Amino acid sequence: HWFFPLPCDMARALLRYPGMRGIQRGWMIGLAVLTLSGPVRGEDVADGPKDLDEIRRRLETLEKKLQEKEAQKPSDDKKPTGKPVESIYDGGFWFVGPDDKLRIGGSGQFDARLYEQDHPGDNTFQARRVRLYATGVLEGAWGYMVMGRWDRGSANLHWAWIESQHSTTARLRVGQFKEPYTLEGVNSDQHFDFHERSIWVQNMLQLEDLGMMLYGKTPGGRLEYAVGAFNGRGKERDDTNDDKEVVGQVTLLPFKASESKWSKGLAFSLSASQGHMEEDDLKTTSYTTAAQTKFWTYGSGVLATGSKDRNSAELEWLVGPASIRGGMHRARLGDLQMAGMEESVTVDGWMLSGSCLLTGEDKPRSGPVVPKKEFAPGKGGWGAFEVAVRHEGFEADRELLKQGF
């Protein structure tokens, strides 16, 4: 083994070097081993100054690199600063930052359903709707929502979507969410006037579906629109054919900017959809009343292999604490097949409802009623009270019943 001698000033320089402090013993032991491992040759001593200059140059390069790394490390007084976040409660827990928002909330509807003696259903208490969700905005431009549901004892994914919010005129949403069909259908479960939607909407719409939608409104909000493409089979279900269900809705609020309370709450809406079914087995498909009483069930072996079209027209009129809503609907299922027979079915429906807030609050078009006095009986506040009534109809082809469909 050969070695070269280190002058005293070089050894001291190495020991003073910050990067070398942790390995001083290693150097000293290494030098000792090398010193004992062989004799010193004259030619090596003569070449010493040349090797020393090379070592000094390398140490200077190493020191420079380590200094650059030290400068890149955040010091205690230069810790990265995050965005300030404020937490509030307003219809849910909100965490709000300069560009981001997160809301965590939930809702529940619990029913006591009592029937007459000759009714086929049993009296029951029911967790009709239980929801838990997280929704918000990222970087001021991307909205999102994830919602789970625990209805009647079953747990499922209810909503999961993300959308661009760069403009109110045109927004694109993808995921699982409500189809844009009828004012009654798109209104939140928490905010419609009755414990169930009208009988036609309840049975002829799948409401939530997988797909994508473009929606928005004109400046001033007089015209709202939405159009989307969906699987057409409901929540968490893949499609069975290449044709997508196309759904669209247009709502006109001609007097929204009016100062008159009699006209500003008037709205007209048209909805339409067109889809295709391919050997969809209808044996588990039933139509029910609001009390979940089955009154129409397709027979075993009935297959839907044709088109599925829907059309609806609605009117909505809000005046102070009162509201009037109405709608006419039609759905047509083509090419129902059973045992060599083929038929189509047309289902018509209509609905007319009225409501009034007895405590005088203004009736919102969508969203919660804000009571003039909060519900605090000990302080004399009883919240808001509303009465509502609805009359509705559902009519289907009786010929299908005669033929056993």
Side-chain angles (χ1 to χ4, degrees):
H1 296 78
W2 306 102
F3 80 103
F4 51 86
L6 288 177
C8 292
D9 61 337
M10 188 63 193
R12 284 195 295 269
L14 282 172
L15 294 177
R16 286 198 304 268
Y17 183 67
M20 297 296 182
R21 291 171 185 168
I23 54 173
Q24 291 173 7
R25 292 183 180 178
W27 271 101
M28 300 305 292
I29 294 172
L31 289 173
V33 171
L34 289 173
T35 302
L36 297 173
S37 62
V40 179
R41 291 188 176 184
E43 61 267 28
D44 296 321
V45 175
D47 293 337
K50 181 179 177 181
D51 294 333
L52 183 59
D53 291 338
E54 178 67 17
I55 290 175
R56 284 175 175 168
R57 186 184 65 79
R58 292 182 181 180
L59 284 174
E60 288 173 358
T61 302
L62 179 60
E63 183 176 9
K64 184 177 180 181
K65 290 183 178 179
L66 289 174
Q67 288 175 350
E68 290 176 353
K69 290 184 177 180
E70 289 291 333
Q72 293 175 358
K73 293 181 180 180
S75 60
D76 292 339
D77 57 345
K78 292 184 179 180
K79 291 182 179 179
T81 58
K83 298 178 180 179
V85 176
E86 181 183 1
S87 61
I88 59 176
Y89 181 84
D90 183 12
F93 292 99
W94 285 89
F95 300 91
V96 182
D99 301 314
D100 307 319
K101 298 178 182 178
L102 170 63
R103 178 187 178 187
I104 299 175
S107 64
Q109 175 188 330
F110 302 90
D111 295 351
R113 304 210 170 197
L114 311 176
Y115 304 100
E116 296 179 353
Q117 283 295 108
D118 57 349
H119 193 277
D122 297 320
N123 297 340
T124 185
F125 295 104
Q126 185 179 87
R128 177 62 183 90
R129 293 180 177 90
V130 181
R131 307 280 193 264
L132 183 64
Y133 62 84
T135 184
V137 179
L138 295 174
E139 297 300 324
W142 299 96
Y144 64 91
M145 172 175 273
V146 177
M147 178 185 289
R149 64 187 178 96
W150 292 262
D151 298 354
R152 305 170 190 170
S154 62
N156 298 95
L157 178 66
H158 193 58
W159 286 359
W161 53 259
I162 186 170
E163 69 178 15
S164 167
Q165 295 187 353
H166 295 81
S167 170
T168 58
T169 305
R171 294 182 173 183
L172 181 65
R173 178 181 292 183
V174 296
Q176 179 170 289
F177 51 92
K178 282 187 179 181
E179 290 185 343
Y181 196 95
T182 70
L183 297 174
E184 184 182 2
V186 300
N187 201 4
S188 170
D189 296 343
Q190 302 177 49
H191 304 144
F192 55 76
D193 293 333
F194 303 91
H195 65 290
E196 300 290 350
R197 291 178 173 86
S198 64
I199 192 170
W200 189 94
V201 171
Q202 177 178 303
N203 289 290
M204 304 312 298
L205 304 184
Q206 58 265 17
L207 294 180
E208 290 80 16
D209 207 339
L210 287 162
M212 61 189 303
M213 172 179 72
L214 182 69
Y215 76 101
K217 58 184 178 181
T218 59
R222 287 189 176 92
L223 181 67
E224 301 174 353
Y225 75 92
V227 59
F230 300 86
N231 284 343
R233 294 176 56 80
K235 292 184 282 284
E236 301 180 81
R237 298 186 66 185
D238 294 339
D239 208 345
T240 57
N241 61 80
D242 293 334
D243 298 326
K244 300 299 122 189
E245 182 173 78
V246 179
V247 184
Q249 182 180 15
V250 177
T251 302
L252 179 65
L253 297 93
F255 310 111
K256 185 174 182 178
S258 173
E259 296 296 329
S260 172
K261 70 174 184 178
W262 298 99
S263 59
K264 67 182 304 180
L266 186 62
F268 304 93
S269 184
L270 298 175
S271 303
S273 73
Q274 186 174 45
H276 182 77
M277 301 173 292
E278 188 168 326
E279 296 187 359
D280 288 1
D281 193 344
L282 301 181
K283 66 180 180 181
T284 60
T285 301
S286 299
Y287 301 151
T288 64
T289 67
Q292 301 173 19
T293 304
K294 295 180 181 180
F295 65 90
W296 177 293
T297 301
Y298 287 98
S300 178
V302 178
L303 299 178
T305 60
S307 62
K308 180 175 68 173
D309 304 323
R310 298 173 299 192
N311 299 278
S312 296
E314 293 173 291
L315 175 144
E316 182 180 76
W317 189 21
L318 309 177
V319 180
S323 73
I324 296 176
R325 292 183 168 100
M328 299 185 66
H329 316 283
R330 167 166 287 189
R332 184 181 184 278
L333 308 180
D335 299 335
L336 301 185
Q337 298 179 358
M338 185 189 72
M341 297 184 292
E342 185 174 305
E343 288 286 348
S344 62
V345 58
T346 299
V347 180
D348 294 324
W350 56 268
M351 181 275 292
L352 181 65
S353 71
S355 69
C356 183
L357 284 157
L358 301 180
T359 41
E361 292 83 0
D362 285 338
K363 178 69 174 178
R365 184 176 168 218
S366 62
V369 174
V370 179
K372 290 182 176 181
K373 295 182 179 180
E374 65 179 20
F375 185 77
K379 299 179 181 179
W382 292 93
F385 284 86
E386 182 179 40
V387 293
V389 61
R390 182 175 67 197
H391 190 41
E392 58 188 322
F394 183 99
E395 187 173 333
D397 295 337
R398 292 185 177 273
E399 190 64 27
L400 290 175
L401 297 176
K402 296 178 181 178
Q403 295 183 17
F405 277 81

